[in-house]
Amino acid sequence: MPSSARSQASSRIREFGLISALKQRYGTTNRRLVRGIGDDAAVIASSPNRHYLFTTDLLAEGIHFNCRTAAFADIGFRAAAANLSDIAAMGGTPEYLLVSLAIPRVATSRQVEHLYDGMMAACRAHRVRLIGGDTSASKGGWFVNIVLIGSAESGSILLRNGARVGDDLYVTGTLGDSRAGLQILERPRGATQARSLKAAHRRFLVRRHLRPTARVREGRWLAEACWATSAIDLSDGLSGDLPHLCAESRVGAVIERSALPISPACRQYAETYGQDAEALALAGGEDYELLFTVPARHRIRFQRASVQRRFRMTRVGRITPAREGLRMTLPDGRQRPLPSSGYEHFRPTR
Ligand code: ADP
Ligand code: MG
C-alpha cells in the first residue's frame, strides 16, 4: 500500500501488526498457492512453467491523494503505477487490471474520464488490459481500488525472503524525489518560485511524485537473468521497506549513508529548503524504486551487465546477520541504528 505524508489517519490499529496477525491466522500455502500474505504480490501456480501474480492497492481521498495537489489523471496514473510496481518487485509481467471506484455525489463524469485516462496511460507501456471492476456511490470522498494480475516464470520469481548474509543491497533510480515533489505541491503557490530552486528541478520533482515510473523492465531482468536473491518495491521509503525485506529473510542490513543515490534536483531542493537530502532519501515514500539483493561474488559482472542495459542501479549497503539489526554507516565510518521513519497508516497519535 502506498504511503503518504498527508494522511491524518490515526487509530489504535497498527497496520503491520494487523497484517502479521492476519498472516498468522489465515496465511496458509499449498501446492497451488505458492505465496499468500506477506510479499508484494500473491503467487499462484498456473502451469508448471508460469505462475500468476495478484496485487491490490486502495487509494482513499485525503489519505493517499488530495484533489488540491493532484489532477485526476495524475491520481489515476499513480494508482496504476503503485500496482505495476508491486508486480515489478516480483520480477513479473503485468497483464490485466480490475478497477473499483466509490464516487462522491459531487463528482463529474469528466473527473472519472480523466482518472481512467491517467490509469490507462500508466498501463499502455506494458499493454495491460482493463477487464472489469465495480462502481459505487460514496458518502465520503473518492476511493480508488485497483487489482492487477500479472505472471512470471515459475523458477525466477523475486520474493522478499531470499536475501542472504553477505549479499549486496541495491536500489534502482534515485531516492527522495517523490517526497520533495509532494512538499513542493503542498507549499503555497509562488513559495517555491521565490526561492532559488531551478524551474526544471521543480518540474522534475513534481513529475516524479505525480507520474512515478514502475521499474517493470528492471524487475523482469533481475528475475529472468537470476541476478537478484530478493526484492521489494519502495512505497514506504527505504527505512520503511528495508525492515520488511529483512524480516522476511531473517537477516539484518547496513546502509551506507553516503552511497544513497540522490538526483541533482533533490540535492538542490534540500539545499534550498535547509533539509537533509539523505534523510529525504531514507524516509521519503512513494518513489516506487526497487530495493533488491545480489550475491557479492557477482558484483563486478552484475554491475557491468546493468550498465550495459543502461539501468541505474546503485549499491547502497549489504546484508548482515539478523542479530546485528538494521544499521547505517556514516561518512566518518561510525555506525548508527537505521532511523525507523517508514510511514504507517495506523500509527497511534502521541
Ligand atoms: P505493499 O506496500 O507492497 O503493497 P502492504 O504493506 O500493503 O504491501 O502489504 C503487505 C502484505 O500484506 C501483502 O502481501 C498484502 O497482500 C497483505 N495485506 C495487506 N493488507 C491486507 C488485508 N487487509 N488483508 C489481507 N492481507 C493484507
Ligand atoms: Mg510493494
Side-chain angles (χ1 to χ4, degrees), residues 12-46:
R12 292 161 69 88
I13 308 168
R14 289 187 66 93
E15 183 183 358
F16 299 121
L18 169 70
I19 293 173
S20 62
L22 288 169
K23 186 179 170 183
Q24 266 190 357
R25 200 152 167 196
Y26 303 109
T28 54
T29 55
N30 57 34
R31 220 160 43 84
R32 288 208 66 202
L33 176 56
V34 179
R35 188 88 177 140
I37 298 171
D39 224 297
D40 291 294
V43 183
I44 296 178
S46 64

PDB file of all heavy atoms in Angstrom, residues 12-46:
ATOM      1  N   ARG A  12      -6.061   2.977  16.782  1.00  0.00           N
ATOM      2  CA  ARG A  12      -5.326   2.113  17.690  1.00  0.00           C
ATOM      3  C   ARG A  12      -4.775   0.899  16.943  1.00  0.00           C
ATOM      4  O   ARG A  12      -3.982   0.149  17.480  1.00  0.00           O
ATOM      5  CB  ARG A  12      -6.233   1.692  18.834  1.00  0.00           C
ATOM      6  CG  ARG A  12      -6.580   2.892  19.719  1.00  0.00           C
ATOM      7  CD  ARG A  12      -7.804   2.578  20.530  1.00  0.00           C
ATOM      8  NE  ARG A  12      -7.507   1.559  21.522  1.00  0.00           N
ATOM      9  CZ  ARG A  12      -7.045   1.818  22.726  1.00  0.00           C
ATOM     10  NH1 ARG A  12      -6.842   3.054  23.082  1.00  0.00           N
ATOM     11  NH2 ARG A  12      -6.811   0.871  23.571  1.00  0.00           N
ATOM     12  N   ILE A  13      -5.244   0.714  15.724  1.00  0.00           N
ATOM     13  CA  ILE A  13      -4.738  -0.416  14.950  1.00  0.00           C
ATOM     14  C   ILE A  13      -3.358  -0.074  14.435  1.00  0.00           C
ATOM     15  O   ILE A  13      -3.133   1.022  13.957  1.00  0.00           O
ATOM     16  CB  ILE A  13      -5.626  -0.670  13.704  1.00  0.00           C
ATOM     17  CG1 ILE A  13      -7.089  -0.785  14.090  1.00  0.00           C
ATOM     18  CG2 ILE A  13      -5.173  -1.908  12.951  1.00  0.00           C
ATOM     19  CD1 ILE A  13      -8.015  -0.754  12.897  1.00  0.00           C
ATOM     20  N   ARG A  14      -2.420  -1.009  14.523  1.00  0.00           N
ATOM     21  CA  ARG A  14      -1.125  -0.795  13.866  1.00  0.00           C
ATOM     22  C   ARG A  14      -1.121  -1.641  12.614  1.00  0.00           C
ATOM     23  O   ARG A  14      -1.319  -2.843  12.662  1.00  0.00           O
ATOM     24  CB  ARG A  14       0.016  -1.178  14.802  1.00  0.00           C
ATOM     25  CG  ARG A  14       0.172  -0.194  15.950  1.00  0.00           C
ATOM     26  CD  ARG A  14       1.415  -0.522  16.749  1.00  0.00           C
ATOM     27  NE  ARG A  14       2.611  -0.304  15.948  1.00  0.00           N
ATOM     28  CZ  ARG A  14       3.295   0.846  15.942  1.00  0.00           C
ATOM     29  NH1 ARG A  14       2.881   1.848  16.675  1.00  0.00           N
ATOM     30  NH2 ARG A  14       4.363   0.970  15.215  1.00  0.00           N
ATOM     31  N   GLU A  15      -0.849  -0.973  11.474  1.00  0.00           N
ATOM     32  CA  GLU A  15      -1.010  -1.634  10.184  1.00  0.00           C
ATOM     33  C   GLU A  15      -0.211  -2.926  10.082  1.00  0.00           C
ATOM     34  O   GLU A  15      -0.730  -3.956   9.692  1.00  0.00           O
ATOM     35  CB  GLU A  15      -0.608  -0.669   9.071  1.00  0.00           C
ATOM     36  CG  GLU A  15      -0.808  -1.263   7.694  1.00  0.00           C
ATOM     37  CD  GLU A  15      -0.337  -0.343   6.580  1.00  0.00           C
ATOM     38  OE1 GLU A  15       0.111   0.775   6.869  1.00  0.00           O
ATOM     39  OE2 GLU A  15      -0.414  -0.768   5.423  1.00  0.00           O
ATOM     40  N   PHE A  16       1.080  -2.870  10.478  1.00  0.00           N
ATOM     41  CA  PHE A  16       1.900  -4.056  10.256  1.00  0.00           C
ATOM     42  C   PHE A  16       1.587  -5.136  11.277  1.00  0.00           C
ATOM     43  O   PHE A  16       1.705  -6.320  10.990  1.00  0.00           O
ATOM     44  CB  PHE A  16       3.371  -3.679  10.199  1.00  0.00           C
ATOM     45  CG  PHE A  16       3.632  -2.727   9.063  1.00  0.00           C
ATOM     46  CD1 PHE A  16       4.161  -1.472   9.289  1.00  0.00           C
ATOM     47  CD2 PHE A  16       3.273  -3.079   7.774  1.00  0.00           C
ATOM     48  CE1 PHE A  16       4.349  -0.588   8.235  1.00  0.00           C
ATOM     49  CE2 PHE A  16       3.455  -2.201   6.712  1.00  0.00           C
ATOM     50  CZ  PHE A  16       4.005  -0.942   6.941  1.00  0.00           C
ATOM     51  N   GLY A  17       1.127  -4.717  12.464  1.00  0.00           N
ATOM     52  CA  GLY A  17       0.662  -5.690  13.446  1.00  0.00           C
ATOM     53  C   GLY A  17      -0.564  -6.402  12.916  1.00  0.00           C
ATOM     54  O   GLY A  17      -0.695  -7.621  13.037  1.00  0.00           O
ATOM     55  N   LEU A  18      -1.450  -5.641  12.299  1.00  0.00           N
ATOM     56  CA  LEU A  18      -2.673  -6.217  11.732  1.00  0.00           C
ATOM     57  C   LEU A  18      -2.320  -7.226  10.643  1.00  0.00           C
ATOM     58  O   LEU A  18      -2.836  -8.349  10.633  1.00  0.00           O
ATOM     59  CB  LEU A  18      -3.543  -5.092  11.135  1.00  0.00           C
ATOM     60  CG  LEU A  18      -4.728  -5.557  10.284  1.00  0.00           C
ATOM     61  CD1 LEU A  18      -5.802  -6.194  11.147  1.00  0.00           C
ATOM     62  CD2 LEU A  18      -5.319  -4.398   9.493  1.00  0.00           C
ATOM     63  N   ILE A  19      -1.409  -6.830   9.753  1.00  0.00           N
ATOM     64  CA  ILE A  19      -1.060  -7.730   8.648  1.00  0.00           C
ATOM     65  C   ILE A  19      -0.404  -9.004   9.169  1.00  0.00           C
ATOM     66  O   ILE A  19      -0.742 -10.098   8.724  1.00  0.00           O
ATOM     67  CB  ILE A  19      -0.160  -7.003   7.612  1.00  0.00           C
ATOM     68  CG1 ILE A  19      -0.975  -5.905   6.913  1.00  0.00           C
ATOM     69  CG2 ILE A  19       0.408  -7.976   6.580  1.00  0.00           C
ATOM     70  CD1 ILE A  19      -0.184  -5.015   5.999  1.00  0.00           C
ATOM     71  N   SER A  20       0.498  -8.873  10.170  1.00  0.00           N
ATOM     72  CA  SER A  20       1.137 -10.115  10.627  1.00  0.00           C
ATOM     73  C   SER A  20       0.148 -10.986  11.395  1.00  0.00           C
ATOM     74  O   SER A  20       0.240 -12.219  11.330  1.00  0.00           O
ATOM     75  CB  SER A  20       2.424  -9.845  11.418  1.00  0.00           C
ATOM     76  OG  SER A  20       2.131  -9.118  12.556  1.00  0.00           O
ATOM     77  N   ALA A  21      -0.843 -10.371  12.076  1.00  0.00           N
ATOM     78  CA  ALA A  21      -1.874 -11.180  12.737  1.00  0.00           C
ATOM     79  C   ALA A  21      -2.709 -11.924  11.692  1.00  0.00           C
ATOM     80  O   ALA A  21      -3.007 -13.111  11.846  1.00  0.00           O
ATOM     81  CB  ALA A  21      -2.772 -10.286  13.599  1.00  0.00           C
ATOM     82  N   LEU A  22      -3.066 -11.231  10.601  1.00  0.00           N
ATOM     83  CA  LEU A  22      -3.837 -11.878   9.531  1.00  0.00           C
ATOM     84  C   LEU A  22      -3.040 -13.011   8.901  1.00  0.00           C
ATOM     85  O   LEU A  22      -3.578 -14.079   8.613  1.00  0.00           O
ATOM     86  CB  LEU A  22      -4.201 -10.852   8.447  1.00  0.00           C
ATOM     87  CG  LEU A  22      -5.272  -9.829   8.824  1.00  0.00           C
ATOM     88  CD1 LEU A  22      -5.355  -8.721   7.777  1.00  0.00           C
ATOM     89  CD2 LEU A  22      -6.627 -10.523   8.973  1.00  0.00           C
ATOM     90  N   LYS A  23      -1.735 -12.757   8.740  1.00  0.00           N
ATOM     91  CA  LYS A  23      -0.876 -13.771   8.122  1.00  0.00           C
ATOM     92  C   LYS A  23      -0.806 -15.022   8.989  1.00  0.00           C
ATOM     93  O   LYS A  23      -0.900 -16.145   8.509  1.00  0.00           O
ATOM     94  CB  LYS A  23       0.522 -13.182   7.904  1.00  0.00           C
ATOM     95  CG  LYS A  23       1.441 -14.092   7.135  1.00  0.00           C
ATOM     96  CD  LYS A  23       2.791 -13.447   6.922  1.00  0.00           C
ATOM     97  CE  LYS A  23       3.766 -14.464   6.365  1.00  0.00           C
ATOM     98  NZ  LYS A  23       5.100 -13.910   6.216  1.00  0.00           N
ATOM     99  N   GLN A  24      -0.656 -14.783  10.316  1.00  0.00           N
ATOM    100  CA  GLN A  24      -0.575 -15.932  11.237  1.00  0.00           C
ATOM    101  C   GLN A  24      -1.860 -16.739  11.220  1.00  0.00           C
ATOM    102  O   GLN A  24      -1.855 -17.957  11.278  1.00  0.00           O
ATOM    103  CB  GLN A  24      -0.337 -15.429  12.644  1.00  0.00           C
ATOM    104  CG  GLN A  24       1.131 -15.406  12.974  1.00  0.00           C
ATOM    105  CD  GLN A  24       1.381 -15.152  14.439  1.00  0.00           C
ATOM    106  OE1 GLN A  24       0.436 -14.934  15.214  1.00  0.00           O
ATOM    107  NE2 GLN A  24       2.630 -15.167  14.823  1.00  0.00           N
ATOM    108  N   ARG A  25      -2.996 -16.023  11.147  1.00  0.00           N
ATOM    109  CA  ARG A  25      -4.279 -16.691  11.277  1.00  0.00           C
ATOM    110  C   ARG A  25      -4.727 -17.384   9.993  1.00  0.00           C
ATOM    111  O   ARG A  25      -5.263 -18.475  10.010  1.00  0.00           O
ATOM    112  CB  ARG A  25      -5.309 -15.630  11.678  1.00  0.00           C
ATOM    113  CG  ARG A  25      -6.522 -16.185  12.281  1.00  0.00           C
ATOM    114  CD  ARG A  25      -7.132 -15.194  13.224  1.00  0.00           C
ATOM    115  NE  ARG A  25      -8.469 -15.634  13.556  1.00  0.00           N
ATOM    116  CZ  ARG A  25      -9.369 -14.859  14.100  1.00  0.00           C
ATOM    117  NH1 ARG A  25      -9.080 -13.595  14.371  1.00  0.00           N
ATOM    118  NH2 ARG A  25     -10.567 -15.321  14.388  1.00  0.00           N
ATOM    119  N   TYR A  26      -4.514 -16.676   8.850  1.00  0.00           N
ATOM    120  CA  TYR A  26      -5.075 -17.195   7.590  1.00  0.00           C
ATOM    121  C   TYR A  26      -4.015 -17.484   6.529  1.00  0.00           C
ATOM    122  O   TYR A  26      -4.356 -17.932   5.441  1.00  0.00           O
ATOM    123  CB  TYR A  26      -6.053 -16.170   6.998  1.00  0.00           C
ATOM    124  CG  TYR A  26      -7.169 -15.784   7.932  1.00  0.00           C
ATOM    125  CD1 TYR A  26      -7.203 -14.521   8.514  1.00  0.00           C
ATOM    126  CD2 TYR A  26      -8.196 -16.682   8.219  1.00  0.00           C
ATOM    127  CE1 TYR A  26      -8.223 -14.159   9.369  1.00  0.00           C
ATOM    128  CE2 TYR A  26      -9.225 -16.323   9.083  1.00  0.00           C
ATOM    129  CZ  TYR A  26      -9.224 -15.060   9.652  1.00  0.00           C
ATOM    130  OH  TYR A  26     -10.237 -14.718  10.491  1.00  0.00           O
ATOM    131  N   GLY A  27      -2.748 -17.187   6.840  1.00  0.00           N
ATOM    132  CA  GLY A  27      -1.722 -17.213   5.789  1.00  0.00           C
ATOM    133  C   GLY A  27      -1.185 -18.577   5.459  1.00  0.00           C
ATOM    134  O   GLY A  27      -0.001 -18.838   5.650  1.00  0.00           O
ATOM    135  N   THR A  28      -2.034 -19.444   4.950  1.00  0.00           N
ATOM    136  CA  THR A  28      -1.545 -20.781   4.595  1.00  0.00           C
ATOM    137  C   THR A  28      -1.051 -20.787   3.144  1.00  0.00           C
ATOM    138  O   THR A  28      -1.362 -19.901   2.364  1.00  0.00           O
ATOM    139  CB  THR A  28      -2.677 -21.823   4.702  1.00  0.00           C
ATOM    140  OG1 THR A  28      -3.765 -21.345   3.912  1.00  0.00           O
ATOM    141  CG2 THR A  28      -3.097 -22.028   6.133  1.00  0.00           C
ATOM    142  N   THR A  29      -0.280 -21.796   2.794  1.00  0.00           N
ATOM    143  CA  THR A  29       0.065 -22.026   1.387  1.00  0.00           C
ATOM    144  C   THR A  29      -0.221 -23.497   1.102  1.00  0.00           C
ATOM    145  O   THR A  29      -0.387 -24.297   2.016  1.00  0.00           O
ATOM    146  CB  THR A  29       1.564 -21.751   1.102  1.00  0.00           C
ATOM    147  OG1 THR A  29       2.338 -22.542   1.996  1.00  0.00           O
ATOM    148  CG2 THR A  29       1.928 -20.301   1.268  1.00  0.00           C
ATOM    149  N   ASN A  30      -0.320 -23.816  -0.192  1.00  0.00           N
ATOM    150  CA  ASN A  30      -0.473 -25.216  -0.586  1.00  0.00           C
ATOM    151  C   ASN A  30       0.208 -25.387  -1.940  1.00  0.00           C
ATOM    152  O   ASN A  30       0.940 -24.504  -2.378  1.00  0.00           O
ATOM    153  CB  ASN A  30      -1.951 -25.634  -0.610  1.00  0.00           C
ATOM    154  CG  ASN A  30      -2.766 -24.748  -1.540  1.00  0.00           C
ATOM    155  OD1 ASN A  30      -2.264 -24.300  -2.559  1.00  0.00           O
ATOM    156  ND2 ASN A  30      -4.009 -24.488  -1.171  1.00  0.00           N
ATOM    157  N   ARG A  31      -0.079 -26.504  -2.603  1.00  0.00           N
ATOM    158  CA  ARG A  31       0.643 -26.784  -3.838  1.00  0.00           C
ATOM    159  C   ARG A  31       0.436 -25.685  -4.886  1.00  0.00           C
ATOM    160  O   ARG A  31       1.336 -25.322  -5.606  1.00  0.00           O
ATOM    161  CB  ARG A  31       0.188 -28.149  -4.388  1.00  0.00           C
ATOM    162  CG  ARG A  31       1.322 -28.982  -4.959  1.00  0.00           C
ATOM    163  CD  ARG A  31       0.936 -30.456  -5.024  1.00  0.00           C
ATOM    164  NE  ARG A  31      -0.431 -30.644  -5.515  1.00  0.00           N
ATOM    165  CZ  ARG A  31      -0.752 -30.671  -6.812  1.00  0.00           C
ATOM    166  NH1 ARG A  31       0.178 -30.546  -7.719  1.00  0.00           N
ATOM    167  NH2 ARG A  31      -2.010 -30.860  -7.181  1.00  0.00           N
ATOM    168  N   ARG A  32      -0.791 -25.154  -4.955  1.00  0.00           N
ATOM    169  CA  ARG A  32      -1.061 -24.117  -5.963  1.00  0.00           C
ATOM    170  C   ARG A  32      -0.775 -22.720  -5.437  1.00  0.00           C
ATOM    171  O   ARG A  32      -0.368 -21.846  -6.179  1.00  0.00           O
ATOM    172  CB  ARG A  32      -2.525 -24.196  -6.421  1.00  0.00           C
ATOM    173  CG  ARG A  32      -2.791 -25.410  -7.287  1.00  0.00           C
ATOM    174  CD  ARG A  32      -3.922 -25.140  -8.241  1.00  0.00           C
ATOM    175  NE  ARG A  32      -3.601 -24.124  -9.227  1.00  0.00           N
ATOM    176  CZ  ARG A  32      -4.510 -23.413  -9.885  1.00  0.00           C
ATOM    177  NH1 ARG A  32      -5.788 -23.590  -9.632  1.00  0.00           N
ATOM    178  NH2 ARG A  32      -4.142 -22.530 -10.780  1.00  0.00           N
ATOM    179  N   LEU A  33      -1.055 -22.504  -4.126  1.00  0.00           N
ATOM    180  CA  LEU A  33      -0.820 -21.173  -3.553  1.00  0.00           C
ATOM    181  C   LEU A  33       0.632 -21.115  -3.075  1.00  0.00           C
ATOM    182  O   LEU A  33       0.959 -21.542  -1.977  1.00  0.00           O
ATOM    183  CB  LEU A  33      -1.793 -20.907  -2.403  1.00  0.00           C
ATOM    184  CG  LEU A  33      -1.615 -19.593  -1.652  1.00  0.00           C
ATOM    185  CD1 LEU A  33      -1.681 -18.399  -2.579  1.00  0.00           C
ATOM    186  CD2 LEU A  33      -2.666 -19.475  -0.554  1.00  0.00           C
ATOM    187  N   VAL A  34       1.477 -20.585  -3.937  1.00  0.00           N
ATOM    188  CA  VAL A  34       2.917 -20.581  -3.668  1.00  0.00           C
ATOM    189  C   VAL A  34       3.257 -19.555  -2.594  1.00  0.00           C
ATOM    190  O   VAL A  34       4.114 -19.765  -1.743  1.00  0.00           O
ATOM    191  CB  VAL A  34       3.687 -20.274  -4.977  1.00  0.00           C
ATOM    192  CG1 VAL A  34       5.186 -20.229  -4.740  1.00  0.00           C
ATOM    193  CG2 VAL A  34       3.344 -21.298  -6.049  1.00  0.00           C
ATOM    194  N   ARG A  35       2.556 -18.403  -2.637  1.00  0.00           N
ATOM    195  CA  ARG A  35       2.840 -17.323  -1.694  1.00  0.00           C
ATOM    196  C   ARG A  35       1.541 -16.549  -1.458  1.00  0.00           C
ATOM    197  O   ARG A  35       0.905 -16.101  -2.410  1.00  0.00           O
ATOM    198  CB  ARG A  35       3.902 -16.414  -2.323  1.00  0.00           C
ATOM    199  CG  ARG A  35       4.447 -15.372  -1.428  1.00  0.00           C
ATOM    200  CD  ARG A  35       5.634 -15.883  -0.628  1.00  0.00           C
ATOM    201  NE  ARG A  35       6.174 -14.796   0.175  1.00  0.00           N
ATOM    202  CZ  ARG A  35       6.603 -14.929   1.414  1.00  0.00           C
ATOM    203  NH1 ARG A  35       6.590 -16.106   2.005  1.00  0.00           N
ATOM    204  NH2 ARG A  35       7.077 -13.898   2.072  1.00  0.00           N
ATOM    205  N   GLY A  36       1.151 -16.421  -0.174  1.00  0.00           N
ATOM    206  CA  GLY A  36      -0.058 -15.661   0.149  1.00  0.00           C
ATOM    207  C   GLY A  36       0.312 -14.310   0.723  1.00  0.00           C
ATOM    208  O   GLY A  36       1.096 -13.570   0.123  1.00  0.00           O
ATOM    209  N   ILE A  37      -0.219 -13.999   1.917  1.00  0.00           N
ATOM    210  CA  ILE A  37       0.052 -12.704   2.552  1.00  0.00           C
ATOM    211  C   ILE A  37       1.544 -12.566   2.860  1.00  0.00           C
ATOM    212  O   ILE A  37       2.168 -13.526   3.324  1.00  0.00           O
ATOM    213  CB  ILE A  37      -0.760 -12.603   3.870  1.00  0.00           C
ATOM    214  CG1 ILE A  37      -2.260 -12.660   3.557  1.00  0.00           C
ATOM    215  CG2 ILE A  37      -0.400 -11.341   4.638  1.00  0.00           C
ATOM    216  CD1 ILE A  37      -3.137 -12.782   4.797  1.00  0.00           C
ATOM    217  N   GLY A  38       2.107 -11.378   2.633  1.00  0.00           N
ATOM    218  CA  GLY A  38       3.474 -11.132   3.092  1.00  0.00           C
ATOM    219  C   GLY A  38       4.458 -10.691   2.027  1.00  0.00           C
ATOM    220  O   GLY A  38       5.567 -10.310   2.354  1.00  0.00           O
ATOM    221  N   ASP A  39       4.076 -10.740   0.754  1.00  0.00           N
ATOM    222  CA  ASP A  39       5.012 -10.257  -0.267  1.00  0.00           C
ATOM    223  C   ASP A  39       4.358  -9.118  -1.043  1.00  0.00           C
ATOM    224  O   ASP A  39       3.256  -8.683  -0.711  1.00  0.00           O
ATOM    225  CB  ASP A  39       5.446 -11.417  -1.191  1.00  0.00           C
ATOM    226  CG  ASP A  39       6.947 -11.356  -1.445  1.00  0.00           C
ATOM    227  OD1 ASP A  39       7.392 -10.358  -2.039  1.00  0.00           O
ATOM    228  OD2 ASP A  39       7.655 -12.282  -1.022  1.00  0.00           O
ATOM    229  N   ASP A  40       5.030  -8.646  -2.101  1.00  0.00           N
ATOM    230  CA  ASP A  40       4.443  -7.541  -2.870  1.00  0.00           C
ATOM    231  C   ASP A  40       3.220  -7.998  -3.660  1.00  0.00           C
ATOM    232  O   ASP A  40       2.341  -7.203  -3.969  1.00  0.00           O
ATOM    233  CB  ASP A  40       5.500  -6.933  -3.802  1.00  0.00           C
ATOM    234  CG  ASP A  40       6.565  -6.209  -3.004  1.00  0.00           C
ATOM    235  OD1 ASP A  40       6.230  -5.204  -2.368  1.00  0.00           O
ATOM    236  OD2 ASP A  40       7.721  -6.672  -2.976  1.00  0.00           O
ATOM    237  N   ALA A  41       3.179  -9.286  -3.998  1.00  0.00           N
ATOM    238  CA  ALA A  41       2.006  -9.848  -4.680  1.00  0.00           C
ATOM    239  C   ALA A  41       1.872 -11.304  -4.256  1.00  0.00           C
ATOM    240  O   ALA A  41       2.846 -11.932  -3.842  1.00  0.00           O
ATOM    241  CB  ALA A  41       2.188  -9.751  -6.194  1.00  0.00           C
ATOM    242  N   ALA A  42       0.649 -11.826  -4.351  1.00  0.00           N
ATOM    243  CA  ALA A  42       0.433 -13.253  -4.082  1.00  0.00           C
ATOM    244  C   ALA A  42       0.815 -14.032  -5.338  1.00  0.00           C
ATOM    245  O   ALA A  42       0.691 -13.526  -6.460  1.00  0.00           O
ATOM    246  CB  ALA A  42      -1.020 -13.498  -3.724  1.00  0.00           C
ATOM    247  N   VAL A  43       1.274 -15.270  -5.144  1.00  0.00           N
ATOM    248  CA  VAL A  43       1.753 -16.090  -6.266  1.00  0.00           C
ATOM    249  C   VAL A  43       0.920 -17.364  -6.322  1.00  0.00           C
ATOM    250  O   VAL A  43       0.844 -18.101  -5.332  1.00  0.00           O
ATOM    251  CB  VAL A  43       3.242 -16.471  -6.070  1.00  0.00           C
ATOM    252  CG1 VAL A  43       3.759 -17.255  -7.269  1.00  0.00           C
ATOM    253  CG2 VAL A  43       4.104 -15.225  -5.825  1.00  0.00           C
ATOM    254  N   ILE A  44       0.307 -17.621  -7.476  1.00  0.00           N
ATOM    255  CA  ILE A  44      -0.500 -18.835  -7.644  1.00  0.00           C
ATOM    256  C   ILE A  44      -0.018 -19.583  -8.880  1.00  0.00           C
ATOM    257  O   ILE A  44       0.118 -18.995  -9.954  1.00  0.00           O
ATOM    258  CB  ILE A  44      -2.001 -18.473  -7.759  1.00  0.00           C
ATOM    259  CG1 ILE A  44      -2.436 -17.838  -6.430  1.00  0.00           C
ATOM    260  CG2 ILE A  44      -2.841 -19.697  -8.084  1.00  0.00           C
ATOM    261  CD1 ILE A  44      -3.847 -17.389  -6.381  1.00  0.00           C
ATOM    262  N   ALA A  45       0.227 -20.875  -8.707  1.00  0.00           N
ATOM    263  CA  ALA A  45       0.739 -21.685  -9.818  1.00  0.00           C
ATOM    264  C   ALA A  45      -0.349 -21.839 -10.869  1.00  0.00           C
ATOM    265  O   ALA A  45      -1.500 -22.143 -10.541  1.00  0.00           O
ATOM    266  CB  ALA A  45       1.168 -23.058  -9.298  1.00  0.00           C
ATOM    267  N   SER A  46       0.003 -21.600 -12.141  1.00  0.00           N
ATOM    268  CA  SER A  46      -0.993 -21.799 -13.200  1.00  0.00           C
ATOM    269  C   SER A  46      -0.588 -22.953 -14.113  1.00  0.00           C
ATOM    270  O   SER A  46      -1.410 -23.739 -14.532  1.00  0.00           O
ATOM    271  CB  SER A  46      -1.197 -20.517 -14.016  1.00  0.00           C
ATOM    272  OG  SER A  46      -0.023 -20.170 -14.694  1.00  0.00           O
TER     273      SER A  46
END
